[in-house]
């Protein structure tokens, strides 16, 4: 069973309105880091949900950052790699906001 399908698609972010040029691995908006729940396995476009995937946390493992997305519609959670095109300030903001929430 194939677990990844490369799809080179452009899209307009449903959260911030940014026009995103896809490279076949693009799975979230590089400006606000939101994604969309369209896949069961990356690139297959088999999910029926279609909800916005909010970036809720950042994970650092072996020197590489990943964004933890959670679907606002159904609660599905998926991890996506941070790319070189991503707004790293937005990545840091998610990390800071998560840390601030944990303090209370």
């Amino acid at each position: 069973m194939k677990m990844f399908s490369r799809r080179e698609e452009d899209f307009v972010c449903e959260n911030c309105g940014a026009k995103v040029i896809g490279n076949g691995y693009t799975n979230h908006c590089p400006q606000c880091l939101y994604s969309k729940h369209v896949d069961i396995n990356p690139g297959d476009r088999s999910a029926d949900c279609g909800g916005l995937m909010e970036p809720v946390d950042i994970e650092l493992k072996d020197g590489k950052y990943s964004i933890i997305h959670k679907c606002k519609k159904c609660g599905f959670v998926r991890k996506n790699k941070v790319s070189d095109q991503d707004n790293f300030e937005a990545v840091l903001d998610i990390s800071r906001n998560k840390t601030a929430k944990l303090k209370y």
Side-chain angles (χ1 to χ4, degrees), residues 51-83:
L52 274 178
M53 300 280 287
E54 179 179 15
V56 295
D57 201 359
I58 300 298
E59 177 181 277
L60 176 62
K61 186 175 180 180
D62 299 326
K64 297 183 182 189
Y65 292 95
S66 292
I67 304 164
I68 310 300
H69 286 105
K70 183 175 183 181
C71 182
K72 294 176 81 172
K73 186 174 177 183
C74 74
F76 178 76
V77 175
R78 170 160 284 148
K79 201 183 319 184
N80 292 297
K81 294 176 186 175
V82 171
S83 78

Side-chain angles (χ1 to χ4, degrees), residues 1 7 9 12 14 34 51 64 66 69 73 77 80 83 86-87 90:
M1 178 180 197
R7 289 186 178 257
E9 299 172 319
V12 174
E14 290 184 21
Y34 269 73
K64 297 183 182 189
S66 292
H69 286 105
K73 186 174 177 183
V77 175
N80 292 297
S83 78
D86 288 343
N87 176 352

Side-chain angles (χ1 to χ4, degrees), residues 14-102:
E14 290 184 21
N15 182 65
C16 73
K19 292 179 183 171
V20 181
I21 307 299
N23 65 10
Y25 302 102
T26 309
N27 56 19
H28 58 269
C29 173
Q31 297 305 308
C32 70
L33 309 179
Y34 269 73
S35 186
K36 189 166 179 166
H37 188 187
V38 293
D39 297 335
I40 292 174
N41 292 309
D44 68 10
R45 304 303 185 257
S46 296
D48 293 328
C49 178
L52 274 178
M53 300 280 287
E54 179 179 15
V56 295
D57 201 359
I58 300 298
E59 177 181 277
L60 176 62
K61 186 175 180 180
D62 299 326
K64 297 183 182 189
Y65 292 95
S66 292
I67 304 164
I68 310 300
H69 286 105
K70 183 175 183 181
C71 182
K72 294 176 81 172
K73 186 174 177 183
C74 74
F76 178 76
V77 175
R78 170 160 284 148
K79 201 183 319 184
N80 292 297
K81 294 176 186 175
V82 171
S83 78
D84 292 340
Q85 290 77 34
D86 288 343
N87 176 352
F88 201 70
E89 278 301 314
V91 171
L92 293 175
D93 285 347
I94 293 166
S95 184
R96 286 184 202 115
N97 288 340
K98 181 68 174 182
T99 302
K101 287 178 187 175
L102 292 174

